[in-house]
Each structure stands twice: as structure tokens, then as C-alpha cells.
PDB file of all heavy atoms in Angstrom:
ATOM      1  N   TYR A   1       1.357  -5.608   6.277  1.00 98.00           N
ATOM      2  CA  TYR A   1       2.492  -4.752   5.903  1.00 98.00           C
ATOM      3  C   TYR A   1       2.308  -4.196   4.488  1.00 98.00           C
ATOM      4  O   TYR A   1       2.403  -2.988   4.255  1.00 98.00           O
ATOM      5  CB  TYR A   1       3.786  -5.559   5.998  1.00 98.00           C
ATOM      6  CG  TYR A   1       4.872  -5.118   5.040  1.00 98.00           C
ATOM      7  CD1 TYR A   1       5.547  -3.917   5.234  1.00 98.00           C
ATOM      8  CD2 TYR A   1       5.210  -5.898   3.927  1.00 98.00           C
ATOM      9  CE1 TYR A   1       6.533  -3.505   4.350  1.00 98.00           C
ATOM     10  CE2 TYR A   1       6.191  -5.501   3.049  1.00 98.00           C
ATOM     11  CZ  TYR A   1       6.857  -4.296   3.256  1.00 98.00           C
ATOM     12  OH  TYR A   1       7.823  -3.895   2.377  1.00 98.00           O
ATOM     13  N   ARG A   2       2.007  -5.073   3.538  1.00 98.00           N
ATOM     14  CA  ARG A   2       1.875  -4.636   2.142  1.00 98.00           C
ATOM     15  C   ARG A   2       0.694  -3.687   1.976  1.00 98.00           C
ATOM     16  O   ARG A   2       0.784  -2.680   1.264  1.00 98.00           O
ATOM     17  CB  ARG A   2       1.727  -5.853   1.227  1.00 98.00           C
ATOM     18  CG  ARG A   2       1.796  -5.511  -0.261  1.00 98.00           C
ATOM     19  CD  ARG A   2       1.828  -6.762  -1.118  1.00 98.00           C
ATOM     20  NE  ARG A   2       1.813  -6.443  -2.530  1.00 98.00           N
ATOM     21  CZ  ARG A   2       2.896  -6.176  -3.268  1.00 98.00           C
ATOM     22  NH1 ARG A   2       4.084  -6.201  -2.705  1.00 98.00           N
ATOM     23  NH2 ARG A   2       2.800  -5.895  -4.556  1.00 98.00           N
ATOM     24  N   MET A   3      -0.428  -3.986   2.643  1.00 98.00           N
ATOM     25  CA  MET A   3      -1.601  -3.131   2.543  1.00 98.00           C
ATOM     26  C   MET A   3      -1.335  -1.739   3.120  1.00 98.00           C
ATOM     27  O   MET A   3      -1.801  -0.731   2.590  1.00 98.00           O
ATOM     28  CB  MET A   3      -2.781  -3.781   3.278  1.00 98.00           C
ATOM     29  CG  MET A   3      -3.314  -5.050   2.633  1.00 98.00           C
ATOM     30  SD  MET A   3      -4.023  -4.791   0.958  1.00 98.00           S
ATOM     31  CE  MET A   3      -2.655  -5.307  -0.091  1.00 98.00           C
ATOM     32  N   THR A   4      -0.574  -1.677   4.211  1.00 98.00           N
ATOM     33  CA  THR A   4      -0.266  -0.383   4.825  1.00 98.00           C
ATOM     34  C   THR A   4       0.640   0.443   3.925  1.00 98.00           C
ATOM     35  O   THR A   4       0.437   1.656   3.752  1.00 98.00           O
ATOM     36  CB  THR A   4       0.396  -0.587   6.205  1.00 98.00           C
ATOM     37  OG1 THR A   4      -0.550  -1.198   7.092  1.00 98.00           O
ATOM     38  CG2 THR A   4       0.835   0.746   6.804  1.00 98.00           C
ATOM     39  N   VAL A   5       1.627  -0.192   3.326  1.00 98.00           N
ATOM     40  CA  VAL A   5       2.510   0.532   2.406  1.00 98.00           C
ATOM     41  C   VAL A   5       1.714   1.075   1.228  1.00 98.00           C
ATOM     42  O   VAL A   5       1.841   2.248   0.856  1.00 98.00           O
ATOM     43  CB  VAL A   5       3.649  -0.378   1.906  1.00 98.00           C
ATOM     44  CG1 VAL A   5       4.472   0.358   0.848  1.00 98.00           C
ATOM     45  CG2 VAL A   5       4.552  -0.802   3.059  1.00 98.00           C
ATOM     46  N   LEU A   6       0.839   0.252   0.646  1.00 98.00           N
ATOM     47  CA  LEU A   6       0.084   0.679  -0.538  1.00 98.00           C
ATOM     48  C   LEU A   6      -0.978   1.714  -0.207  1.00 98.00           C
ATOM     49  O   LEU A   6      -1.307   2.555  -1.045  1.00 98.00           O
ATOM     50  CB  LEU A   6      -0.555  -0.544  -1.208  1.00 98.00           C
ATOM     51  CG  LEU A   6       0.437  -1.546  -1.809  1.00 98.00           C
ATOM     52  CD1 LEU A   6      -0.294  -2.682  -2.481  1.00 98.00           C
ATOM     53  CD2 LEU A   6       1.390  -0.851  -2.784  1.00 98.00           C
ATOM     54  N   ARG A   7      -1.519   1.659   1.002  1.00 97.00           N
ATOM     55  CA  ARG A   7      -2.499   2.684   1.369  1.00 97.00           C
ATOM     56  C   ARG A   7      -1.835   4.062   1.435  1.00 97.00           C
ATOM     57  O   ARG A   7      -2.453   5.074   1.076  1.00 97.00           O
ATOM     58  CB  ARG A   7      -3.140   2.362   2.717  1.00 97.00           C
ATOM     59  CG  ARG A   7      -4.073   3.465   3.198  1.00 97.00           C
ATOM     60  CD  ARG A   7      -5.025   3.025   4.251  1.00 97.00           C
ATOM     61  NE  ARG A   7      -5.950   4.096   4.602  1.00 97.00           N
ATOM     62  CZ  ARG A   7      -6.974   3.962   5.414  1.00 97.00           C
ATOM     63  NH1 ARG A   7      -7.224   2.779   5.963  1.00 97.00           N
ATOM     64  NH2 ARG A   7      -7.771   4.974   5.680  1.00 97.00           N
ATOM     65  N   ASN A   8      -0.603   4.101   1.890  1.00 98.00           N
ATOM     66  CA  ASN A   8       0.083   5.378   2.051  1.00 98.00           C
ATOM     67  C   ASN A   8       0.857   5.797   0.811  1.00 98.00           C
ATOM     68  O   ASN A   8       1.131   6.983   0.624  1.00 98.00           O
ATOM     69  CB  ASN A   8       1.019   5.298   3.255  1.00 98.00           C
ATOM     70  CG  ASN A   8       0.268   5.224   4.569  1.00 98.00           C
ATOM     71  OD1 ASN A   8      -0.162   6.229   5.107  1.00 98.00           O
ATOM     72  ND2 ASN A   8       0.086   4.015   5.076  1.00 98.00           N
ATOM     73  N   LEU A   9       1.195   4.834  -0.050  1.00 97.00           N
ATOM     74  CA  LEU A   9       1.915   5.132  -1.285  1.00 97.00           C
ATOM     75  C   LEU A   9       1.179   4.506  -2.469  1.00 97.00           C
ATOM     76  O   LEU A   9       1.681   3.588  -3.123  1.00 97.00           O
ATOM     77  CB  LEU A   9       3.344   4.593  -1.199  1.00 97.00           C
ATOM     78  CG  LEU A   9       4.199   5.103  -0.032  1.00 97.00           C
ATOM     79  CD1 LEU A   9       5.546   4.383  -0.008  1.00 97.00           C
ATOM     80  CD2 LEU A   9       4.396   6.613  -0.105  1.00 97.00           C
ATOM     81  N   PRO A  10      -0.038   4.990  -2.770  1.00 97.00           N
ATOM     82  CA  PRO A  10      -0.862   4.366  -3.816  1.00 97.00           C
ATOM     83  C   PRO A  10      -0.318   4.536  -5.232  1.00 97.00           C
ATOM     84  O   PRO A  10      -0.816   3.894  -6.152  1.00 97.00           O
ATOM     85  CB  PRO A  10      -2.209   5.078  -3.657  1.00 97.00           C
ATOM     86  CG  PRO A  10      -1.865   6.407  -3.063  1.00 97.00           C
ATOM     87  CD  PRO A  10      -0.709   6.138  -2.135  1.00 97.00           C
ATOM     88  N   SER A  11       0.699   5.358  -5.416  1.00 97.00           N
ATOM     89  CA  SER A  11       1.260   5.551  -6.756  1.00 97.00           C
ATOM     90  C   SER A  11       2.335   4.530  -7.093  1.00 97.00           C
ATOM     91  O   SER A  11       2.853   4.524  -8.219  1.00 97.00           O
ATOM     92  CB  SER A  11       1.852   6.967  -6.875  1.00 97.00           C
ATOM     93  OG  SER A  11       0.832   7.951  -6.763  1.00 97.00           O
ATOM     94  N   LEU A  12       2.672   3.666  -6.136  1.00 98.00           N
ATOM     95  CA  LEU A  12       3.683   2.651  -6.404  1.00 98.00           C
ATOM     96  C   LEU A  12       3.223   1.698  -7.505  1.00 98.00           C
ATOM     97  O   LEU A  12       2.068   1.284  -7.534  1.00 98.00           O
ATOM     98  CB  LEU A  12       3.993   1.841  -5.141  1.00 98.00           C
ATOM     99  CG  LEU A  12       4.796   2.527  -4.043  1.00 98.00           C
ATOM    100  CD1 LEU A  12       5.013   1.554  -2.888  1.00 98.00           C
ATOM    101  CD2 LEU A  12       6.135   3.041  -4.563  1.00 98.00           C
ATOM    102  N   GLN A  13       4.133   1.339  -8.382  1.00 98.00           N
ATOM    103  CA  GLN A  13       3.877   0.339  -9.414  1.00 98.00           C
ATOM    104  C   GLN A  13       4.502  -1.004  -9.061  1.00 98.00           C
ATOM    105  O   GLN A  13       4.073  -2.046  -9.558  1.00 98.00           O
ATOM    106  CB  GLN A  13       4.414   0.840 -10.753  1.00 98.00           C
ATOM    107  CG  GLN A  13       3.719   2.104 -11.252  1.00 98.00           C
ATOM    108  CD  GLN A  13       4.333   2.644 -12.524  1.00 98.00           C
ATOM    109  OE1 GLN A  13       5.340   2.120 -13.019  1.00 98.00           O
ATOM    110  NE2 GLN A  13       3.745   3.694 -13.071  1.00 98.00           N
ATOM    111  N   LYS A  14       5.513  -0.966  -8.194  1.00 98.00           N
ATOM    112  CA  LYS A  14       6.171  -2.197  -7.762  1.00 98.00           C
ATOM    113  C   LYS A  14       6.622  -2.039  -6.313  1.00 98.00           C
ATOM    114  O   LYS A  14       7.253  -1.047  -5.961  1.00 98.00           O
ATOM    115  CB  LYS A  14       7.348  -2.524  -8.674  1.00 98.00           C
ATOM    116  CG  LYS A  14       8.035  -3.845  -8.357  1.00 98.00           C
ATOM    117  CD  LYS A  14       9.178  -4.142  -9.318  1.00 98.00           C
ATOM    118  CE  LYS A  14       8.665  -4.473 -10.715  1.00 98.00           C
ATOM    119  NZ  LYS A  14       9.778  -4.942 -11.605  1.00 98.00           N
ATOM    120  N   LEU A  15       6.285  -3.028  -5.488  1.00 98.00           N
ATOM    121  CA  LEU A  15       6.694  -3.048  -4.089  1.00 98.00           C
ATOM    122  C   LEU A  15       7.399  -4.370  -3.811  1.00 98.00           C
ATOM    123  O   LEU A  15       6.830  -5.436  -4.043  1.00 98.00           O
ATOM    124  CB  LEU A  15       5.482  -2.890  -3.166  1.00 98.00           C
ATOM    125  CG  LEU A  15       5.742  -3.073  -1.664  1.00 98.00           C
ATOM    126  CD1 LEU A  15       6.754  -2.052  -1.153  1.00 98.00           C
ATOM    127  CD2 LEU A  15       4.427  -2.961  -0.878  1.00 98.00           C
ATOM    128  N   ASP A  16       8.624  -4.294  -3.318  1.00 97.00           N
ATOM    129  CA  ASP A  16       9.412  -5.497  -2.999  1.00 97.00           C
ATOM    130  C   ASP A  16       9.507  -6.434  -4.196  1.00 97.00           C
ATOM    131  O   ASP A  16       9.285  -7.638  -4.083  1.00 97.00           O
ATOM    132  CB  ASP A  16       8.813  -6.223  -1.795  1.00 97.00           C
ATOM    133  CG  ASP A  16       8.874  -5.367  -0.539  1.00 97.00           C
ATOM    134  OD1 ASP A  16       9.693  -4.434  -0.496  1.00 97.00           O
ATOM    135  OD2 ASP A  16       8.093  -5.624   0.393  1.00 97.00           O
ATOM    136  N   ASN A  17       9.773  -5.843  -5.351  1.00 95.00           N
ATOM    137  CA  ASN A  17       9.971  -6.591  -6.594  1.00 95.00           C
ATOM    138  C   ASN A  17       8.711  -7.322  -7.053  1.00 95.00           C
ATOM    139  O   ASN A  17       8.788  -8.266  -7.838  1.00 95.00           O
ATOM    140  CB  ASN A  17      11.120  -7.601  -6.446  1.00 95.00           C
ATOM    141  CG  ASN A  17      11.773  -7.919  -7.779  1.00 95.00           C
ATOM    142  OD1 ASN A  17      11.847  -7.081  -8.675  1.00 95.00           O
ATOM    143  ND2 ASN A  17      12.240  -9.148  -7.937  1.00 95.00           N
ATOM    144  N   GLN A  18       7.546  -6.895  -6.578  1.00 97.00           N
ATOM    145  CA  GLN A  18       6.276  -7.488  -6.991  1.00 97.00           C
ATOM    146  C   GLN A  18       5.344  -6.386  -7.491  1.00 97.00           C
ATOM    147  O   GLN A  18       5.142  -5.377  -6.803  1.00 97.00           O
ATOM    148  CB  GLN A  18       5.624  -8.215  -5.818  1.00 97.00           C
ATOM    149  CG  GLN A  18       4.312  -8.895  -6.176  1.00 97.00           C
ATOM    150  CD  GLN A  18       3.714  -9.636  -5.002  1.00 97.00           C
ATOM    151  OE1 GLN A  18       4.398  -9.925  -4.018  1.00 97.00           O
ATOM    152  NE2 GLN A  18       2.430  -9.939  -5.089  1.00 97.00           N
ATOM    153  N   ALA A  19       4.791  -6.572  -8.678  1.00 98.00           N
ATOM    154  CA  ALA A  19       3.924  -5.561  -9.278  1.00 98.00           C
ATOM    155  C   ALA A  19       2.689  -5.310  -8.416  1.00 98.00           C
ATOM    156  O   ALA A  19       2.134  -6.225  -7.809  1.00 98.00           O
ATOM    157  CB  ALA A  19       3.506  -5.998 -10.678  1.00 98.00           C
ATOM    158  N   VAL A  20       2.269  -4.062  -8.373  1.00 97.00           N
ATOM    159  CA  VAL A  20       1.084  -3.663  -7.617  1.00 97.00           C
ATOM    160  C   VAL A  20      -0.140  -3.723  -8.527  1.00 97.00           C
ATOM    161  O   VAL A  20      -0.110  -3.227  -9.655  1.00 97.00           O
ATOM    162  CB  VAL A  20       1.257  -2.236  -7.062  1.00 97.00           C
ATOM    163  CG1 VAL A  20      -0.026  -1.773  -6.366  1.00 97.00           C
ATOM    164  CG2 VAL A  20       2.440  -2.171  -6.104  1.00 97.00           C
ATOM    165  N   THR A  21      -1.221  -4.328  -8.044  1.00 97.00           N
ATOM    166  CA  THR A  21      -2.448  -4.453  -8.838  1.00 97.00           C
ATOM    167  C   THR A  21      -3.522  -3.484  -8.350  1.00 97.00           C
ATOM    168  O   THR A  21      -3.467  -2.991  -7.218  1.00 97.00           O
ATOM    169  CB  THR A  21      -3.000  -5.887  -8.756  1.00 97.00           C
ATOM    170  OG1 THR A  21      -3.431  -6.150  -7.401  1.00 97.00           O
ATOM    171  CG2 THR A  21      -1.931  -6.905  -9.141  1.00 97.00           C
ATOM    172  N   GLU A  22      -4.501  -3.246  -9.202  1.00 96.00           N
ATOM    173  CA  GLU A  22      -5.615  -2.377  -8.822  1.00 96.00           C
ATOM    174  C   GLU A  22      -6.409  -2.988  -7.670  1.00 96.00           C
ATOM    175  O   GLU A  22      -6.921  -2.278  -6.806  1.00 96.00           O
ATOM    176  CB  GLU A  22      -6.534  -2.135 -10.024  1.00 96.00           C
ATOM    177  CG  GLU A  22      -5.931  -1.250 -11.099  1.00 96.00           C
ATOM    178  CD  GLU A  22      -6.959  -0.864 -12.149  1.00 96.00           C
ATOM    179  OE1 GLU A  22      -8.165  -1.139 -11.926  1.00 96.00           O
ATOM    180  OE2 GLU A  22      -6.584  -0.290 -13.173  1.00 96.00           O
ATOM    181  N   GLU A  23      -6.523  -4.324  -7.679  1.00 96.00           N
ATOM    182  CA  GLU A  23      -7.242  -4.993  -6.597  1.00 96.00           C
ATOM    183  C   GLU A  23      -6.558  -4.758  -5.259  1.00 96.00           C
ATOM    184  O   GLU A  23      -7.220  -4.523  -4.239  1.00 96.00           O
ATOM    185  CB  GLU A  23      -7.331  -6.498  -6.871  1.00 96.00           C
ATOM    186  CG  GLU A  23      -8.259  -6.884  -8.021  1.00 96.00           C
ATOM    187  CD  GLU A  23      -7.633  -6.690  -9.387  1.00 96.00           C
ATOM    188  OE1 GLU A  23      -6.422  -6.335  -9.443  1.00 96.00           O
ATOM    189  OE2 GLU A  23      -8.320  -6.901 -10.407  1.00 96.00           O
ATOM    190  N   GLU A  24      -5.236  -4.784  -5.250  1.00 97.00           N
ATOM    191  CA  GLU A  24      -4.494  -4.529  -4.007  1.00 97.00           C
ATOM    192  C   GLU A  24      -4.704  -3.101  -3.529  1.00 97.00           C
ATOM    193  O   GLU A  24      -4.865  -2.857  -2.320  1.00 97.00           O
ATOM    194  CB  GLU A  24      -3.006  -4.778  -4.234  1.00 97.00           C
ATOM    195  CG  GLU A  24      -2.602  -6.225  -4.295  1.00 97.00           C
ATOM    196  CD  GLU A  24      -1.105  -6.392  -4.403  1.00 97.00           C
ATOM    197  OE1 GLU A  24      -0.497  -5.761  -5.300  1.00 97.00           O
ATOM    198  OE2 GLU A  24      -0.528  -7.140  -3.597  1.00 97.00           O
ATOM    199  N   LEU A  25      -4.727  -2.152  -4.438  1.00 97.00           N
ATOM    200  CA  LEU A  25      -4.919  -0.758  -4.048  1.00 97.00           C
ATOM    201  C   LEU A  25      -6.297  -0.552  -3.432  1.00 97.00           C
ATOM    202  O   LEU A  25      -6.453   0.216  -2.476  1.00 97.00           O
ATOM    203  CB  LEU A  25      -4.732   0.155  -5.262  1.00 97.00           C
ATOM    204  CG  LEU A  25      -3.305   0.220  -5.820  1.00 97.00           C
ATOM    205  CD1 LEU A  25      -3.272   1.061  -7.085  1.00 97.00           C
ATOM    206  CD2 LEU A  25      -2.348   0.800  -4.784  1.00 97.00           C
ATOM    207  N   SER A  26      -7.298  -1.241  -3.960  1.00 96.00           N
ATOM    208  CA  SER A  26      -8.643  -1.158  -3.393  1.00 96.00           C
ATOM    209  C   SER A  26      -8.677  -1.813  -2.016  1.00 96.00           C
ATOM    210  O   SER A  26      -9.259  -1.268  -1.069  1.00 96.00           O
ATOM    211  CB  SER A  26      -9.656  -1.833  -4.322  1.00 96.00           C
ATOM    212  OG  SER A  26      -9.706  -1.178  -5.573  1.00 96.00           O
ATOM    213  N   GLN A  27      -8.065  -2.978  -1.892  1.00 96.00           N
ATOM    214  CA  GLN A  27      -8.045  -3.688  -0.613  1.00 96.00           C
ATOM    215  C   GLN A  27      -7.266  -2.913   0.441  1.00 96.00           C
ATOM    216  O   GLN A  27      -7.588  -2.973   1.636  1.00 96.00           O
ATOM    217  CB  GLN A  27      -7.420  -5.072  -0.802  1.00 96.00           C
ATOM    218  CG  GLN A  27      -7.505  -5.972   0.427  1.00 96.00           C
ATOM    219  CD  GLN A  27      -8.933  -6.362   0.759  1.00 96.00           C
ATOM    220  OE1 GLN A  27      -9.752  -6.535  -0.143  1.00 96.00           O
ATOM    221  NE2 GLN A  27      -9.235  -6.469   2.037  1.00 96.00           N
ATOM    222  N   ALA A  28      -6.258  -2.183   0.020  1.00 96.00           N
ATOM    223  CA  ALA A  28      -5.432  -1.418   0.959  1.00 96.00           C
ATOM    224  C   ALA A  28      -6.241  -0.353   1.687  1.00 96.00           C
ATOM    225  O   ALA A  28      -5.919   0.004   2.828  1.00 96.00           O
ATOM    226  CB  ALA A  28      -4.262  -0.771   0.215  1.00 96.00           C
ATOM    227  N   LEU A  29      -7.299   0.144   1.054  1.00 96.00           N
ATOM    228  CA  LEU A  29      -8.142   1.148   1.706  1.00 96.00           C
ATOM    229  C   LEU A  29      -8.880   0.562   2.906  1.00 96.00           C
ATOM    230  O   LEU A  29      -9.294   1.292   3.804  1.00 96.00           O
ATOM    231  CB  LEU A  29      -9.157   1.713   0.703  1.00 96.00           C
ATOM    232  CG  LEU A  29      -8.556   2.491  -0.466  1.00 96.00           C
ATOM    233  CD1 LEU A  29      -9.646   2.874  -1.456  1.00 96.00           C
ATOM    234  CD2 LEU A  29      -7.830   3.734   0.033  1.00 96.00           C
ATOM    235  N   VAL A  30      -9.031  -0.757   2.925  1.00 95.00           N
ATOM    236  CA  VAL A  30      -9.726  -1.437   4.024  1.00 95.00           C
ATOM    237  C   VAL A  30      -8.747  -2.024   5.030  1.00 95.00           C
ATOM    238  O   VAL A  30      -8.875  -1.836   6.237  1.00 95.00           O
ATOM    239  CB  VAL A  30     -10.646  -2.549   3.479  1.00 95.00           C
ATOM    240  CG1 VAL A  30     -11.327  -3.294   4.630  1.00 95.00           C
ATOM    241  CG2 VAL A  30     -11.685  -1.975   2.528  1.00 95.00           C
ATOM    242  N   ASP A  31      -7.728  -2.717   4.529  1.00 96.00           N
ATOM    243  CA  ASP A  31      -6.824  -3.463   5.410  1.00 96.00           C
ATOM    244  C   ASP A  31      -5.575  -2.689   5.818  1.00 96.00           C
ATOM    245  O   ASP A  31      -4.896  -3.079   6.768  1.00 96.00           O
ATOM    246  CB  ASP A  31      -6.383  -4.761   4.721  1.00 96.00           C
ATOM    247  CG  ASP A  31      -7.541  -5.730   4.533  1.00 96.00           C
ATOM    248  OD1 ASP A  31      -8.601  -5.510   5.149  1.00 96.00           O
ATOM    249  OD2 ASP A  31      -7.398  -6.705   3.776  1.00 96.00           O
ATOM    250  N   GLY A  32      -5.260  -1.628   5.119  1.00 96.00           N
ATOM    251  CA  GLY A  32      -4.049  -0.869   5.439  1.00 96.00           C
ATOM    252  C   GLY A  32      -4.287   0.177   6.514  1.00 96.00           C
ATOM    253  O   GLY A  32      -5.406   0.603   6.752  1.00 96.00           O
ATOM    254  N   VAL A  33      -3.216   0.589   7.172  1.00 95.00           N
ATOM    255  CA  VAL A  33      -3.264   1.619   8.207  1.00 95.00           C
ATOM    256  C   VAL A  33      -2.749   2.930   7.628  1.00 95.00           C
ATOM    257  O   VAL A  33      -1.642   2.975   7.081  1.00 95.00           O
ATOM    258  CB  VAL A  33      -2.408   1.225   9.430  1.00 95.00           C
ATOM    259  CG1 VAL A  33      -2.407   2.338  10.466  1.00 95.00           C
ATOM    260  CG2 VAL A  33      -2.928  -0.067  10.047  1.00 95.00           C
ATOM    261  N   GLU A  34      -3.540   3.981   7.722  1.00 96.00           N
ATOM    262  CA  GLU A  34      -3.111   5.274   7.202  1.00 96.00           C
ATOM    263  C   GLU A  34      -2.144   5.939   8.178  1.00 96.00           C
ATOM    264  O   GLU A  34      -2.410   6.023   9.373  1.00 96.00           O
ATOM    265  CB  GLU A  34      -4.313   6.183   6.954  1.00 96.00           C
ATOM    266  CG  GLU A  34      -3.915   7.511   6.325  1.00 96.00           C
ATOM    267  CD  GLU A  34      -5.114   8.358   5.962  1.00 96.00           C
ATOM    268  OE1 GLU A  34      -6.247   7.982   6.312  1.00 96.00           O
ATOM    269  OE2 GLU A  34      -4.907   9.411   5.328  1.00 96.00           O
ATOM    270  N   ILE A  35      -1.044   6.411   7.658  1.00 96.00           N
ATOM    271  CA  ILE A  35      -0.023   7.064   8.477  1.00 96.00           C
ATOM    272  C   ILE A  35      -0.127   8.565   8.270  1.00 96.00           C
ATOM    273  O   ILE A  35       0.042   9.063   7.156  1.00 96.00           O
ATOM    274  CB  ILE A  35       1.372   6.553   8.100  1.00 96.00           C
ATOM    275  CG1 ILE A  35       1.479   5.059   8.425  1.00 96.00           C
ATOM    276  CG2 ILE A  35       2.464   7.323   8.842  1.00 96.00           C
ATOM    277  CD1 ILE A  35       2.712   4.391   7.866  1.00 96.00           C
ATOM    278  N   THR A  36      -0.416   9.283   9.341  1.00 94.00           N
ATOM    279  CA  THR A  36      -0.671  10.721   9.237  1.00 94.00           C
ATOM    280  C   THR A  36       0.331  11.567  10.006  1.00 94.00           C
ATOM    281  O   THR A  36       0.233  12.795  10.000  1.00 94.00           O
ATOM    282  CB  THR A  36      -2.080  11.046   9.756  1.00 94.00           C
ATOM    283  OG1 THR A  36      -2.192  10.613  11.127  1.00 94.00           O
ATOM    284  CG2 THR A  36      -3.145  10.331   8.929  1.00 94.00           C
ATOM    285  N   ALA A  37       1.289  10.938  10.670  1.00 93.00           N
ATOM    286  CA  ALA A  37       2.265  11.687  11.466  1.00 93.00           C
ATOM    287  C   ALA A  37       3.619  10.999  11.384  1.00 93.00           C
ATOM    288  O   ALA A  37       3.704   9.788  11.178  1.00 93.00           O
ATOM    289  CB  ALA A  37       1.805  11.773  12.915  1.00 93.00           C
ATOM    290  N   PRO A  38       4.700  11.761  11.540  1.00 93.00           N
ATOM    291  CA  PRO A  38       6.030  11.156  11.513  1.00 93.00           C
ATOM    292  C   PRO A  38       6.258  10.291  12.738  1.00 93.00           C
ATOM    293  O   PRO A  38       5.560  10.431  13.752  1.00 93.00           O
ATOM    294  CB  PRO A  38       6.969  12.371  11.512  1.00 93.00           C
ATOM    295  CG  PRO A  38       6.170  13.451  12.168  1.00 93.00           C
ATOM    296  CD  PRO A  38       4.751  13.224  11.753  1.00 93.00           C
ATOM    297  N   PRO A  39       7.217   9.382  12.672  1.00 91.00           N
ATOM    298  CA  PRO A  39       7.471   8.485  13.807  1.00 91.00           C
ATOM    299  C   PRO A  39       8.090   9.221  14.984  1.00 91.00           C
ATOM    300  O   PRO A  39       8.799  10.212  14.811  1.00 91.00           O
ATOM    301  CB  PRO A  39       8.457   7.461  13.227  1.00 91.00           C
ATOM    302  CG  PRO A  39       9.151   8.203  12.127  1.00 91.00           C
ATOM    303  CD  PRO A  39       8.119   9.113  11.539  1.00 91.00           C
ATOM    304  N   ALA A  40       7.787   8.722  16.180  1.00 84.00           N
ATOM    305  CA  ALA A  40       8.426   9.253  17.373  1.00 84.00           C
ATOM    306  C   ALA A  40       9.844   8.714  17.418  1.00 84.00           C
ATOM    307  O   ALA A  40      10.075   7.523  17.229  1.00 84.00           O
ATOM    308  CB  ALA A  40       7.651   8.827  18.620  1.00 84.00           C
TER     309      ALA A  40
END
């Protein structure tokens, strides 16, 4: 969940009251799911 959010919103500085790190942003490119279309 966290990796998917950060992959799509890499400019976030804080997610769910927890600071975002550079390591997480790098990992999100591998473990996160890119969202390219609106929900059905």
C-alpha cells in the first residue's frame, strides 16, 4: 500500500503521519503499482 502511494505521489513528504525517505521512494519504483487510469 505505502509503496503504491509513493510511486504515484513521489512528491509527498509525509504519508499517514510518517515521514517519507529517499530509500522508500527508490523502493516504490520496484514494489509499487503505477496507476495510469481513473477507477471504474
Side-chain angles (χ1 to χ4, degrees):
Y1 150 71
R2 189 172 177 86
M3 292 296 99
T4 295
V5 175
L6 294 182
R7 175 162 184 174
N8 291 278
L9 303 175
S11 295
L12 287 181
Q13 297 176 356
K14 184 178 290 188
L15 172 60
D16 296 339
N17 206 32
Q18 182 178 342
V20 175
T21 66
E22 289 189 10
E23 290 79 5
E24 284 185 308
L25 292 175
S26 298
Q27 187 67 34
L29 295 174
V30 178
D31 293 347
V33 177
E34 184 175 7
I35 296 169
T36 59

